[in-house]
Amino acid sequence: MAAEDTASTRLGAGRQHLRPLKRRGLVLLRLTAIVLAVLLFCEFLIYYLVIFRCSWPAVKTPADAGGLGTPEPVLRAMFLADTHLLGAVRGHWLDKLRREWQMERAFQTALWLLQPEVVFILGDVFDEGKWSSSQAWADDVGRFWKIFRHPPHVQLRAVAGNHDIGFHYQMNTYKIKRFEKVFNPERLFSWKGINFVMVNSVALEGDGCDICSGAEAELLEISHRLNCSRKEHRPQECGDRQRLPASAPILLQHFPLYRRNDANCSGEDAAPPDEKYTPFKERYDALSQEASRKLLWWLRPRLVLSGHTHSACEVLHGAGVLEVSVPSFSWRNRNNPSFIMGSVTPTEYALAKCYLPCEDTVLTTYCTAAGGLVLLTLGHAGLVASPFHFGWNMLRKFKTT
């Protein structure tokens, strides 16, 4: 009997010893589940929840107006700007990891949910292209194609920005050629009867340099071809080159056309109040007045899209030509990045803005979750009352009073 009592006593003691271990394991499991759930929400699900609200804008076609004939094809185009992939000099590894992951998840989610046919990046694709070495450039390009990978049926095109090839005084033929080796060098891109003209706005300095003269000559040739496409009877001077679609072009560039400042820009992603009234420097913050007049006169665009300012703006030029400045796509430049969705036909277009998750929202979620985990841990350790018991006690006191 004594032996049996001793054995049962030892067994009971062993069970009592195991109970705290089981309780700790259960708490650890709960904490791990909470951490994984928060990570899943902040790094994956939030992009689907936010971008799912975006939809392609409806564009008017002749069929909508009761017209006869074949309906005009609609091209779904995404326009984003100023991705600024960090380089080897200024790019801290943590900054690269955080902001590039944000852009990758945003872009891949948008591709999957919205299924655009073409994506345009309006300059400053890279942050250090203006001074990066050949090896650093190759590394940056490799990371770019990982972030912005896309299926073969989706086209991706980009125009050069000042961070890609440098401002006018830093720009040279080598930097331009290596950028064009990555992205198609065509200045004129036509698809579904729609003409896009992609301009190297850094080269529109107007000082007669070799690169600038070549850029202007190329734009004059495009202007000539566009003018020929607008004429019903092909004149002799138009030659035998393939005729372009008879559609007013959409102008894509990095620098915005000349404007004094962002004072007339509005919206939640416009420039902050302390920057709105800062005068723009010609050839630095925007194109010069002369270059802007030339582009509008030579190309006669129906729509202009630009980047560079990192903020949103809509401006009417000349005879009512709309210019849309596209905000930055990266958290590094904005708390609330976005991109433009365009439904485009040869004669009409409709634009809509799609916002990405705000960085503040993600950080607040992480901070709230971290605070909750600390309280749960302290409550389990008995250092503070657990939130459940604290709330129950408060409810009982409230009822008794």
Side-chain angles (χ1 to χ4, degrees):
M1 286 295 293
E4 290 179 2
D5 291 342
T6 304
S8 61
T9 302
R10 289 177 181 176
L11 183 60
R15 287 176 179 173
Q16 289 179 357
H17 179 69
L18 286 175
R19 284 174 188 169
L21 293 178
K22 286 182 179 180
R23 197 179 303 119
R24 289 173 192 168
L26 185 59
V27 170
L28 183 61
L29 186 63
R30 288 174 180 172
L31 294 178
T32 303
I34 292 173
V35 170
L36 292 177
V38 172
L39 283 172
L40 181 65
F41 174 78
C42 290
E43 306 302 332
F44 289 94
L45 294 181
I46 192 171
Y47 293 96
Y48 289 92
L49 294 173
V50 173
I51 298 176
F52 181 75
R53 297 178 297 179
C54 303
S55 59
W56 293 101
V59 61
K60 293 181 180 179
T61 63
D64 296 331
L68 301 176
T70 306
E72 288 184 317
V74 178
L75 179 67
R76 296 195 303 269
M78 266 177 63
F79 303 94
L80 50 102
D82 296 278
T83 52
H84 282 272
L85 266 73
L86 293 172
V89 178
R90 300 196 306 185
H92 188 275
W93 68 268
L94 183 58
D95 197 5
K96 281 184 182 180
L97 178 67
R98 186 77 199 109
R99 273 58 189 270
E100 290 180 10
W101 173 257
Q102 170 257 324
M103 289 193 290
E104 180 177 354
R105 293 315 319 148
F107 184 74
Q108 296 303 322
T109 304
L111 278 187
W112 190 78
L113 289 177
L114 303 175
Q115 299 184 357
E117 297 170 89
V118 61
V119 178
F120 294 101
I121 303 181
L122 304 178
D124 280 1
V125 180
F126 306 101
D127 193 62
E128 300 180 12
K130 54 188 176 182
W131 61 50
S132 60
S133 64
S134 298
Q135 183 58 51
W137 174 263
D139 293 342
D140 293 347
V141 169
R143 290 187 357 259
F144 171 84
W145 287 122
K146 175 183 176 296
I147 295 168
F148 294 97
R149 62 190 180 275
H150 54 279
H153 65 271
V154 177
Q155 296 206 41
L156 188 148
R157 294 174 178 259
V159 297
N162 54 288
H163 277 266
D164 300 314
I165 60 175
F167 279 107
H168 178 259
Y169 61 90
Q170 298 170 308
M171 173 182 63
N172 57 43
T173 304
Y174 169 73
K175 294 176 185 176
I176 294 174
K177 292 298 182 184
R178 77 175 181 182
F179 183 86
E180 292 178 344
K181 188 177 179 180
V182 178
F183 303 101
N184 198 308
E186 286 182 318
R187 297 280 179 263
L188 181 61
F189 169 61
S190 299
W191 195 11
K192 288 190 174 183
I194 304 157
N195 298 312
F196 296 93
V197 180
M198 294 173 286
V199 175
N200 177 4
S201 49
V202 182
L204 298 182
E205 186 77 7
D207 64 349
C209 74
D210 291 342
I211 295 176
C212 301
S213 299
E216 289 200 5
E218 194 172 11
L219 288 173
L220 283 171
E221 171 62 21
I222 292 173
S223 172
H224 176 68
R225 293 187 64 190
L226 289 170
N227 288 334
C228 288
S229 72
R230 293 182 175 108
K231 298 175 181 178
E232 292 185 13
H233 303 288
R234 192 175 181 86
Q236 187 174 0
E237 62 266 20
C238 290
D240 297 327
R241 295 188 65 175
Q242 182 179 1
R243 187 165 185 169
L244 295 173
S247 172
I250 294 175
L251 177 60
L252 307 176
Q253 58 187 25
H254 182 61
F255 287 166
L257 296 175
Y258 174 78
R259 60 179 184 257
R260 292 183 179 180
N261 49 38
D262 275 351
N264 295 322
C265 306
S266 59
E268 60 184 286
D269 53 354
D274 58 330
E275 296 179 11
K276 276 190 172 185
Y277 298 93
T278 303
F280 278 4
K281 297 178 183 177
E282 295 186 43
R283 304 176 180 87
Y284 188 84
D285 297 310
L287 288 178
S288 66
Q289 296 184 59
E290 179 187 5
S292 300
R293 282 194 296 266
K294 284 181 178 179
L295 287 176
L296 292 173
W297 174 252
W298 290 345
L299 303 175
R300 288 188 280 170
R302 54 178 166 144
L303 174 66
V304 181
L305 291 116
S306 59
H308 189 54
T309 64
H310 299 173
S311 300
C313 191
E314 293 187 6
V315 183
L316 289 177
H317 298 279
V321 178
L322 175 65
E323 178 183 9
V324 177
S325 289
V326 182
S328 175
F329 192 71
S330 173
W331 274 347
R332 191 167 187 265
N333 302 315
R334 296 199 60 81
N335 175 54
N336 57 341
S338 62
F339 60 89
I340 298 294
M341 304 165 60
S343 300
V344 189
T345 72
T347 57
E348 300 288 344
Y349 66 84
L351 304 177
K353 185 174 292 182
C354 183
Y355 286 95
L356 305 181
C358 292
E359 187 174 29
D360 281 354
T361 302
V362 174
L363 293 177
T364 301
T365 303
Y366 275 128
C367 291
T368 303
L373 289 174
V374 170
L375 288 176
L376 286 174
T377 304
L378 294 176
H380 172 70
L383 299 178
V384 297
S386 70
F388 175 78
H389 290 302
F390 178 77
W392 177 251
N393 291 333
M394 288 295 291
L395 183 61
R396 288 176 62 188
K397 288 181 180 179
F398 177 77
K399 286 182 177 180
T400 55
T401 56

